[in-house]
Amino acid sequence: MVRLRVCPFSLAVFFGSAAYVTYQTQQSRQKKSANDSEDDDTNTNNANESATNNTTSKATTPTTETRQVVFVLGGPGAGKGTQCQLLEERLG
């Protein structure tokens, strides 16, 4: 029988990062939905004004934000910092 051994610190980092990304995504969606409801109220008011002024208003389409999480592991002096700088330059 093969027994897998897992580092508890690595598990904590993984699950902590996953929880943080989930939390930030939910906060982002809540802010967007709050802004969308304000925009809907504004668009309704603009539509009422447009009907009287014979002008049209353009509705905005919401965009979906995606996040990319990258774990960089390695021993001291392995070049993690260099690789992170390159990833930041290339991925933003």
Side-chain angles (χ1 to χ4, degrees), residues 15-82:
F15 286 114
S17 298
Y20 178 73
V21 169
T22 302
Y23 173 76
Q24 289 296 324
T25 302
Q26 289 174 347
Q27 293 297 316
S28 166
R29 287 182 182 165
Q30 287 176 354
K31 286 180 184 177
K32 283 183 182 180
S33 66
N35 288 340
D36 287 346
S37 65
E38 288 175 7
D39 289 343
D40 288 344
D41 293 340
T42 304
N43 287 341
T44 302
N45 291 338
N46 287 342
N48 291 338
E49 291 173 8
S50 296
T52 58
N53 295 334
N54 293 328
T55 60
T56 59
S57 63
K58 294 182 181 177
T60 59
T61 57
T63 59
T64 305
E65 233 179 90
T66 59
R67 292 194 172 94
Q68 191 173 24
V69 178
V70 178
F71 290 96
V72 180
L73 304 174
K80 297 179 300 291
T82 303

Side-chain angles (χ1 to χ4, degrees), residues 68 81-92:
Q68 191 173 24
T82 303
Q83 292 301 319
C84 288
Q85 287 176 349
L86 292 172
L87 286 170
E88 185 179 7
E89 289 173 4
R90 293 178 183 166
L91 300 177

